[in-house]
C-alpha cells in the first residue's frame, strides 16, 4: 500500500517529482509545485499500477524514452477537469441578456445569406460548458435561428474528456439542478440500465464541434470569434504563459468580441487592452 510520498517502498523522489513537473510544464503549461505533490503522487500511483511498473522512477524512464507515445495518456491523468452545466451562471446570463441581443440587432448578413456567430469554449473539459452555451444560444435566438450560421468550437488538451463530451451522455444528477424546462427540452433520459443517464438532444450537439487542442501549440482556427470562454484553465499557467495566451485570444476575437474568464482569474497587465463589462467578462474594443 503506497501511503507516503517520501518514505515508502514506492518513493516519489525529489528528482522524479522535479522531472514530472518539468515534463508537465513543457507539454501543457501547467505549473506544478510542492503543494501539488500529493495530487501528483496519487495520480502517478494509479498510472504506475495500470502500467504494471514497480516504481515512479521506472515511469519517469518510460516518459524519457517514449515521451511522445505516453504523453497523451499521462496528460489525461494529470489534468483537472472539474466542470458543470451552467457553472458561473452569470456568463450565460450575460450572453442571453446582453451579447446575443446586441449581435442579433447589429450583425450583417454574409455572402452565404446568413448571419455568422462563432463561439469558442477553449478548455471545454467533458462538454458541460459548450452544451450550456448551446442551450443559451437556442433559448435566446430560437425563432431567428434559421437566419444564422452558428458554430460552437469546443477544445481541450485531454482526449478522454473530449470523447466524453462528444457522446453527450451524462449521469442524470449532473443536470439535477438546472432549469426544469431545459431538462425536458434539451435532454433525453435513458431507460432500463441507462435510467440514471441522460443524453443531450441532437439540436444541441449539432451546434458543437469537439477537437483536441493544446493551448500552447498553434491554433489552426482563423476566427474571428464573437465570444471566447477561457474559464478555469489559465489559473494553472504561469504569468508569462497567461499573457501570451491573452494576446492570442485578443487577436482571434472580432472587434467588440468577448473574453470570459473563470471566477478566480484576471487579465493582469493585459487588462488595458480590454474593457471590463461584467464580472470576469472582457470586451475587445471596437
Ligand atoms: C477545470 S477544467 C475547466 C472546464 C471549464 N472551462 C469550466 O470552467 O468549467 C480545466 C480544463 O483545462 C484543460 N487544459 C489544461 N491545460 C490545457 C492546455 N494546455 N490546453 C488545453 N486545455 C488544457 C484540462 O484538460 C481541463 O479539462
Amino acid at each position: 500500500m503506497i501511503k507516503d510520498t517520501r518514505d515508502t517502498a514506492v518513493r516519489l523522489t525529489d528528482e522524479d517529482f522535479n522531472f514530472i513537473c518539468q515534463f508537465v510544464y513543457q507539454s501543457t503549461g501547467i505549473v506544478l509545485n510542492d503543494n501539488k505533490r500529493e495530487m501528483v503522487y496519487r495520480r502517478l500511483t494509479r498510472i504506475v499500477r495500470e502500467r504494471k511498473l514497480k516504481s515512479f522512477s521506472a515511469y519517469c524512464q518510460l516518459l524519457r524514452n517514449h515521451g511522445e507515445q505516453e504523453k497523451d495518456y499521462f496528460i489525461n491523468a494529470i489534468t483537472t477537469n472539474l466542470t458543470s452545466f451552467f457553472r458561473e451562471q452569470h456568463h450565460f446570463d450575460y450572453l442571453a441578456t446582453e451579447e446575443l441581443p446586441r449581435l442579433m440587432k447589429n450583425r450583417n448578413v454574409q455572402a452565404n445569406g446568413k448571419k455568422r456567430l462563432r463561439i469558442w469554449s477553449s478548455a471545454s473539459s467533458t462538454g458541460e460548458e459548450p452544451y450550456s452555451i448551446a442551450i443559451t444560444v437556442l433559448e435566446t435566438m430560437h425563432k431567428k435561428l434559421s437566419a444564422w450560421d452558428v458554430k460552437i468550437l469546443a477544445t481541450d488538451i485531454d482526449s478522454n474528456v473530449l470523447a466524453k463530451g462528444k457522446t453527450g451522455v451524462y449521469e442524470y444528477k449532473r443536470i439535477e439542478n438546472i432549469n426544469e424546462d431545459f431538462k425536458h427540452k434539451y435532454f433525453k433520459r435513458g431507460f432500463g440500465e441507462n435510467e440514471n443517464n441522460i443524453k443531450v438532444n441532437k439540436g444541441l450537439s449539432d451546434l458543437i464541434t469537439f477537437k483536441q487542442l493544446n493551448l500552447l501549440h498553434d491554433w489552426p482556427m482563423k476566427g474571428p470569434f464573437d465570444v471566447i470562454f477561457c474559464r478555469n484553465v489559465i489559473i494553472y499557467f504561469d504569468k508569462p504563459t497567461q499573457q501570451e495566451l491573452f494576446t492570442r485570444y485578443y487577436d482571434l476575437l472580432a472587434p467588440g468580441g468577448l473574453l470570459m474568464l473563470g471566477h478566480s482569474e484576471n487579465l493582469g497587465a493585459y487588462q488595458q487592452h480590454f474593457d471590463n463589462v461584467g464580472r470576469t467578462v472582457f470586451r475587445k474594443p471596437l
Side-chain angles (χ1 to χ4, degrees):
M1 185 71 191
I2 302 167
K3 281 212 186 81
D4 189 87
T5 60
R6 287 157 200 272
D7 190 22
T8 59
V10 183
R11 288 179 64 227
L12 178 58
T13 62
D14 287 346
E15 191 190 338
D16 291 341
F17 180 65
N18 291 338
F19 169 76
I20 292 291
C21 293
Q22 200 54 32
F23 192 93
V24 169
Y25 181 69
Q26 273 162 7
S27 348
T28 68
I30 296 171
V31 177
L32 298 170
N33 44 38
D34 228 42
N35 59 15
K36 292 279 158 54
R37 198 175 173 118
E38 272 300 321
M39 183 275 274
V40 169
Y41 182 80
R42 267 183 277 113
R43 294 184 188 184
L44 276 180
T45 302
R46 185 158 53 82
I47 300 181
V48 165
R49 278 204 194 110
E50 282 166 4
R51 290 284 185 251
K52 300 195 186 334
L53 296 168
K54 289 208 164 56
S55 65
F56 294 125
S57 298
Y59 189 66
C60 292
Q61 208 48 46
L62 183 72
L63 281 180
R64 278 190 192 94
N65 297 340
H66 304 282
E68 278 315 308
Q69 285 133 280
E70 188 61 19
K71 210 185 224 171
D72 212 33
Y73 180 84
F74 175 61
I75 290 172
N76 291 354
I78 222 76
T79 51
T80 297
N81 309 116
L82 183 77
T83 189
S84 57
F85 284 97
F86 295 98
R87 181 183 193 186
E88 300 178 44
Q89 173 77 45
H90 56 98
H91 287 149
F92 303 98
D93 293 343
Y94 193 92
L95 268 190
T97 59
E98 303 284 337
E99 199 56 11
L100 296 175
R102 188 182 78 83
L103 292 170
M104 287 195 289
K105 209 159 122 205
N106 300 336
R107 181 81 7 127
N108 293 326
V109 175
Q110 311 279 294
N112 67 0
K114 300 238 174 188
K115 298 177 181 185
R116 184 180 183 278
L117 175 66
R118 294 290 182 271
I119 303 179
W120 179 23
S121 163
S122 71
S124 62
S125 187
T126 35
E128 288 85 337
E129 181 176 280
Y131 286 122
S132 304
I133 297 170
I135 291 174
T136 308
V137 167
L138 289 181
E139 282 293 304
T140 314
M141 302 174 85
H142 64 289
K143 286 204 187 102
K144 307 240 161 68
L145 208 68
S146 57
W148 285 79
D149 162 24
V150 178
K151 289 200 170 89
I152 300 167
L153 175 66
T155 64
D156 200 284
I157 196 173
D158 182 330
S159 55
N160 283 344
V161 293
L162 285 167
K164 165 88 184 158
K166 268 186 212 167
T167 67
V169 175
Y170 300 92
E171 281 183 84
Y172 175 76
K173 64 179 182 214
R174 306 279 300 161
I175 61 160
E176 214 154 40
N177 294 325
I178 74 168
N179 176 316
E180 278 304 316
D181 194 33
F182 293 177
K183 283 185 199 167
H184 300 297
K185 264 167 119 173
Y186 299 112
F187 299 90
K188 263 197 301 286
R189 187 133 191 191
F191 48 89
E193 61 184 22
N194 287 319
E195 72 172 343
N196 290 328
N197 289 339
I198 48 98
K199 185 170 168 52
V200 303
N201 284 351
K202 195 164 158 9
L204 286 189
S205 44
D206 280 352
L207 292 179
I208 305 173
T209 307
F210 286 94
K211 284 249 185 289
Q212 189 174 26
L213 180 73
N214 184 342
L215 289 171
L216 297 196
H217 292 173
D218 287 343
W219 299 347
M221 317 79 82
K222 281 207 291 283
F225 286 94
D226 300 296
V227 186
I228 300 179
F229 281 69
C230 167
R231 307 191 312 164
N232 306 302
V233 61
I234 55 143
I235 189 90
Y236 299 104
F237 302 151
D238 61 14
K239 287 273 175 247
T241 310
Q242 291 183 2
Q243 295 297 304
E244 195 190 316
L245 286 177
F246 293 145
T247 312
R248 297 174 72 196
Y249 283 126
Y250 181 93
D251 290 345
L252 214 55
L253 274 173
L258 289 184
L259 181 65
M260 313 283 206
L261 298 186
H263 59 283
S264 56
E265 298 168 328
N266 62 68
L267 289 172
Y270 211 80
Q271 167 84 55
Q272 56 176 314
H273 299 283
F274 282 90
D275 299 324
N276 188 188
V277 293
R279 202 161 120 211
T280 53
V281 182
F282 302 91
R283 188 181 297 287
K284 174 174 170 171
L286 281 169

